[in-house]
Amino acid sequence: MTRAASSASKGKAPRTARGEKTLRKILDAALAEFGQRGFHESSIVGITSRAKVALGTFYTYFDSKEAVFGALVRDMSGRVRDHVAPALEGAAGGLDGERRALAAYLRFVADHKEVYRIIDEAEFVDPAGFRAHYETTANRIAGRLAAATDSGEVRDDGPLANEVRAWALMGMNVFLGLRFGVWGEENEDKVASLANDLVQRGIKT
């Protein structure tokens, strides 16, 4: 089952490729609707109008506006992960991987500025999804740092260290994305290199 298909409300996952394509259209339309209007000003009719599907088609896959918003949070989190993952290939160590990951994230944000509004609103509309987004992201970073610690690239400061570092790196990435992806686009590789220099001087062996 694709990520889009798994985002449907319980018992409403599409059973055909055509259904998955329709569900993807609804999610993309929801991204535009929520991203431009915010959750409270958005409507199901607005989403279906953007997707060019019937109102009944929406309810084939989702129970409510809250349900599609929660699905969108999970979908966007997954899309960020999938966009960043290929950038890690060929990295010259764990910390170089973090540089590559940040550059890829900044490129994603520049093309999907709506993600910030949606994730921010998720704190109140979908608090479980909001927390899951950040916890899973931090866990991925912590896993990469643990591998770098095992290889001797990153200093071993005890079992809590890489979790703290992961949350700190994620916080840095989030605000760099806001400044250099949403508010003003800069050269992603340059921004990522400067941030990575800060990281390496701070935690490199």
Side-chain angles (χ1 to χ4, degrees), residues 14 34 36-37 45 71 109 144-145 160 185 188 190 204:
F34 290 131
Q36 293 175 18
R37 297 173 56 84
V45 170
V109 171
R144 296 196 296 262
L145 291 175
L160 185 61
E185 297 179 16
E188 299 92 351
K190 180 64 173 177
K204 189 174 181 181

Side-chain angles (χ1 to χ4, degrees), residues 55-144:
L55 185 62
T57 302
F58 175 90
Y59 289 105
T60 298
Y61 303 106
F62 297 105
D63 294 332
S64 64
K65 184 171 77 167
E66 289 80 6
V68 72
F69 184 88
L72 185 60
V73 171
R74 296 190 299 275
D75 183 66
M76 290 303 296
S77 184
R79 289 176 69 182
V80 171
R81 178 197 64 218
D82 293 347
H83 185 83
V84 167
L88 298 172
E89 297 176 8
L95 296 182
D96 182 54
E98 295 310 309
R99 177 188 63 79
R100 290 166 174 256
L102 174 55
Y105 173 71
L106 293 174
R107 284 190 285 272
F108 181 89
V109 171
D111 292 334
H112 303 86
K113 293 178 171 62
E114 306 96 333
V115 68
Y116 270 77
R117 183 169 193 172
I118 290 164
I119 295 299
D120 284 349
E121 287 197 307
E123 182 179 5
F124 307 101
V125 179
D126 180 26
F130 176 81
R131 179 169 178 169
H133 166 70
Y134 284 116
E135 286 183 338
T136 55
T137 301
N139 287 341
R140 286 196 298 272
I141 298 172
R144 296 196 296 262

Side-chain angles (χ1 to χ4, degrees), residues 123-205:
E123 182 179 5
F124 307 101
V125 179
D126 180 26
F130 176 81
R131 179 169 178 169
H133 166 70
Y134 284 116
E135 286 183 338
T136 55
T137 301
N139 287 341
R140 286 196 298 272
I141 298 172
R144 296 196 296 262
L145 291 175
T149 300
D150 290 342
S151 71
E153 182 184 6
V154 170
R155 193 171 60 239
D156 187 352
D157 288 334
L160 185 61
N162 282 330
E163 182 178 1
V164 171
R165 291 165 179 164
W167 283 88
L169 284 173
M170 181 173 64
M172 178 181 73
N173 294 351
V174 166
F175 279 97
L176 288 172
L178 183 63
R179 167 61 183 86
F180 296 108
V182 177
W183 291 347
E185 297 179 16
E186 305 286 346
N187 182 281
E188 299 92 351
D189 291 318
K190 180 64 173 177
V191 172
S193 292
L194 289 169
N196 197 251
D197 181 68
L198 171 66
V199 172
Q200 293 210 33
R201 291 176 187 273
I203 67 173
K204 189 174 181 181
T205 301

Side-chain angles (χ1 to χ4, degrees), residues 2-17:
T2 65
R3 184 176 64 247
S6 65
S7 66
S9 293
K10 187 176 181 180
K12 294 189 173 185
R15 295 183 176 86
T16 65

